[in-house]
Amino acid sequence: MDTQWVEDLASLASCGNFSEAARMNNISQSAFSRRIKAFEAWVGAALVDRSNHPVKLTQAGRQMLEAGQQALTRIETERAHIRESLSGPDKYVVTFA
C-alpha cells in the first residue's frame, strides 16, 4: 500500500472532482485516477461513487480514509517520539571527569 493513496482519497473527498483533486496534488488527472484505481484494487472494493457529480466516497471509501488517516497520524507521532528521544542527551549516561 502506498501512503499517498490516503492523501489522494482525502483530496478527492474534500473537493468531489478528480481534476481538481489532481491539481491539488500537482499531478495529471489520468495519473491521479490511476492511483485511486490502484487503491481500490488493493482494497478490493470501490472507494468512490462515480455515478454522480460531485463524486462521493462509498462506505468502503469512508472507512479506508478514516483508517488510513489514523494510521498515518500514528506513524507520524511515533516517528516524532523516536526522533525526539534520539536527539536529546542520554539521561542514563554518567560522565566522570
Side-chain angles (χ1 to χ4, degrees):
M1 185 195 154
D2 186 342
T3 58
Q4 182 63 49
W5 293 345
V6 176
E7 294 172 22
D8 291 342
L9 195 60
S11 297
L12 186 56
S14 72
C15 70
N17 182 289
F18 276 86
S19 296
E20 181 61 29
R23 245 188 317 277
M24 289 169 55
N25 288 293
N26 296 314
I27 61 171
S28 70
Q29 188 271 330
S30 59
F32 184 83
S33 293
R34 281 192 303 271
R35 291 192 335 198
I36 294 293
K37 287 219 178 259
F39 195 9
E40 289 176 319
W42 184 81
V43 171
L47 302 177
V48 179
D49 178 3
R50 295 168 174 83
S51 65
N52 295 312
H53 286 71
V55 297
K56 296 189 186 293
L57 298 186
T58 62
Q59 178 61 35
R62 290 189 297 274
Q63 286 177 252
M64 286 306 298
L65 179 57
E66 182 180 347
Q69 288 174 326
Q70 289 174 354
L72 290 177
T73 298
R74 173 82 193 279
I75 289 168
E76 285 298 322
T77 300
E78 292 305 317
R79 178 178 177 243
H81 287 135
I82 290 168
R83 286 181 168 205
E84 182 180 317
S85 70
L86 294 175
S87 67
D90 193 345
K91 297 176 187 173
Y92 304 106
V93 173
V94 178
T95 305
F96 294 97

